[in-house]
């Protein structure tokens, strides 16, 4: 089986013998797709919640805002570095059951975060959650496309990844509001309750889903030799570093540079997320209907870098700053759908393995971005944070020009099979 340029599956006679026909797609897998999307929402909200709670968490735990930001940095580092290893180690497990295990870990992790007695406790819990985080990102896209007919695979991917944007819409801004009204711990208690709902919904709706394309860890370097996959992983790394260098510390930027009131930050982050949801679904509709994936990805990178640059240039002009903040949310939030689609097309016979490399790049880059942003914030203030984001995103453009965006139809079979 290969992926066509429109994202749909094509079956070739020559491949049927080597790759037996997979189990039939569930007659109506969309409820399960929505459960997976909600799971993605919980995981993303858990990862990014400290972004909207930096002042409250720093004050309560008696550390700097930059130090609290390290809970995002090291979390992403663990998630990224361990993603290929744990994806290979769990390659034979039923994907639905594996998703339930992941959700159970996040449920326990958010409960322990809400009861953290000091910063050391918080960091330990974050590292334990990050340990399993990367596995989820390695499997959710392949789960989504298996739950629906091939013609709906891109739409299912967009719906699942909308959980990222919805976490930005609901998780981070509402977490910021709850942190201001009650406490930062209350925000994590709410996440704990939502995690229990996601666990129950997934247990009820997810069909049996045996692993199909598990790959041994030793095969990953050979897989990375595929041109588009290698370039996509590199582009992802550079853009994500830039985004998280800026976004992790967007709250101090809005307060100090733009001059918005503290009780307005949550609303602005909510608007950022709404724009992100719009971008997520727009790109899902656009892919395969005209522009090439390379064109879409380059356009979104330009939109992300340009919006951050204009936000910085707007200074205290609040109407302009708000407009550029929204365009940033729209452009960046659409990128994961386009990049993940290209990853799946680049290695149609090893989707989870290819995605684990993408996850490694994505999450390690989150940690590096948060680290660079922390250093910039503590040493020079929010302006340098935003400038760092612009520089990294702009640096990804020349590399993105080498993307093809076509299905890699060359056969790839793990050694020994």
């Amino acid at each position: 089986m290969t992926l066509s340029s429109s994202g749909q599956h094509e079956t070739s006679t020559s491949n049927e013998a080597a790759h037996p026909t997979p189990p039939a797609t569930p007659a109506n897998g969309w409820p399960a797709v929505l459960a997976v999307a909600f799971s993605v929402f919980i995981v993303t909200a858990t990862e990014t919640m400290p972004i909207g709670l930096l002042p409250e968490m720093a004050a309560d735990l008696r550390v700097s805002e930059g130090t609290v930001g390290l809970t995002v940095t090291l979390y992403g580092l663990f998630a990224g570095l361990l993603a290929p290893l744990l994806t290979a180690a769990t390659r034979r497990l039923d994907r639905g059951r594996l998703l339930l295990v992941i959700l159970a870990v996040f449920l326990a992790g958010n409960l322990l975060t809400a009861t953290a007695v000091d910063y050391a406790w918080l960091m330990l819990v974050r590292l334990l959650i990050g340990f399993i985080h990367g596995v989820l990102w390695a499997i959710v896209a392949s789960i989504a496309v298996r739950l629906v007919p091939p013609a709906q695979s891109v739409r299912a991917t967009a719906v699942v990844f909308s959980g990222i944007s919805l976490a930005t819409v609901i998780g981070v801004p509402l977490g910021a509001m709850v942190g201001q009204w009650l406490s930062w711990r209350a925000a994590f208690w709410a996440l704990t309750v939502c995690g229990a709902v996601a666990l129950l919904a997934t247990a009820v709706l997810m069909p049996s889903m045996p692993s199909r394309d598990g790959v041994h860890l030793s095969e990953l370097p050979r897989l990375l030799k595929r041109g588009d996959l290698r370039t996509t992983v590199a582009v992802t790394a550079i853009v994500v570093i830039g985004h998280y260098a800026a976004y992790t510390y967007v709250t101090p930027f809005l307060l100090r540079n733009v001059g918005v009131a503290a009780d307005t930050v949550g609303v602005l982050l909510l608007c950022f997320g709404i724009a992100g949801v719009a971008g997520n679904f727009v790109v899902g509709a656009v892919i395969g209907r005209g522009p090439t994936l390379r064109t879409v990805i380059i356009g979104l990178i330009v939109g992300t870098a340009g919006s951050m640059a204009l936000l910085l240039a707007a200074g205290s002009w609040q109407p302009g700053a708000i407009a550029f903040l929204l365009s940033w949310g729209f452009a960046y939030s659409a990128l994961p759908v386009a990049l993940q689609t290209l990853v799946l097309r680049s290695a149609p016979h090893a989707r989870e393995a290819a995605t684990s490399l993408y996850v490694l790049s994505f999450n390690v880059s989150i940690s590096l971005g948060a680290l660079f942003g922390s250093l910039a914030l503590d040493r020079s203030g929010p302006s340098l944070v935003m400038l760092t984001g612009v520089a990294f995103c702009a640096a990804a453009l020349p590399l993105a020009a080498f993307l093809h965006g076509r299905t890699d139809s060359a056969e790839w079979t793990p050694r020994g099979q």
Side-chain angles (χ1 to χ4, degrees), residues 117-312:
V117 296
D118 54 27
Y119 180 77
W121 173 299
L122 174 67
M123 181 60 77
L124 177 61
V125 172
R126 296 282 293 179
L127 293 181
L128 291 175
I129 302 174
F131 181 82
I132 201 169
H133 175 102
V135 181
L136 178 124
W137 294 121
I139 67 174
V140 289
S142 63
I143 288 176
V145 299
R146 290 174 62 182
L147 287 170
V148 298
Q152 300 175 6
S153 60
V154 173
R155 190 187 312 166
T157 303
V159 169
V160 165
F161 278 88
S162 70
I164 299 173
S165 299
L166 287 171
T168 307
V169 171
I170 299 175
V172 174
L174 287 188
M177 293 178 190
V178 171
Q180 293 163 4
W181 296 338
L182 299 174
S183 73
W184 68 268
R185 297 176 189 276
F188 281 96
W189 278 114
L191 263 184
T192 302
V193 174
C194 290
V197 174
L199 182 62
L200 178 61
T202 302
V204 172
L205 298 172
M206 184 64 62
S208 175
M209 191 166 287
S211 178
R212 271 190 208 166
D213 55 1
V215 175
H216 194 275
L217 188 64
S218 63
E219 298 292 337
L220 295 180
R222 188 161 67 98
L223 182 61
L224 196 55
K225 292 180 181 179
R226 289 172 170 256
D228 252 8
L229 178 59
R230 182 174 61 249
T231 305
T232 303
V233 167
V235 169
T236 298
I238 299 170
V239 172
V240 172
I241 287 173
H243 171 75
Y244 276 92
Y247 184 67
T248 303
Y249 304 100
V250 70
T251 296
F253 181 87
L254 293 173
L255 292 172
R256 302 176 196 174
N257 288 53
V258 182
V260 302
D263 57 2
T264 306
V265 171
V267 175
L268 292 179
L269 294 178
L270 177 63
C271 293
F272 182 99
I274 291 172
V277 172
N280 191 283
F281 283 104
V282 167
V283 77
V286 167
I287 290 175
R289 296 190 179 184
T292 65
L293 262 178
R294 176 175 61 184
T295 301
V296 171
I297 290 170
I298 289 175
L300 293 174
I301 294 173
V302 170
T304 301
S307 296
M308 286 192 288
L310 291 171
L311 177 59
L312 179 61

Side-chain angles (χ1 to χ4, degrees), residues 1-4 10 12 14-15 226 345-349 406-412:
M1 298 179 71
T2 61
L3 280 172
S4 71
E10 297 174 346
S12 63
S14 62
N15 286 338
R226 289 172 170 256
R345 292 184 184 182
S346 299
H349 303 294
R406 299 188 297 269
T407 296
D408 188 343
S409 58
E411 186 63 71
W412 187 89

Side-chain angles (χ1 to χ4, degrees), residues 30-86:
W30 282 105
V33 170
L34 294 177
V36 176
F38 189 45
S39 301
V40 169
F41 165 84
I42 297 300
V43 170
T44 306
T46 299
E47 179 181 14
T48 58
M49 186 67 74
I51 293 173
L53 298 169
L54 287 178
E56 292 79 14
M57 294 179 73
D60 184 31
L61 299 173
R62 298 181 181 180
V63 294
S64 71
E65 293 178 356
T67 301
V68 174
L70 291 177
T71 62
V72 178
T73 301
L74 297 181
Y75 180 107
L77 185 63
F78 260 58
L81 292 177
L82 293 172
L85 176 63
L86 293 180

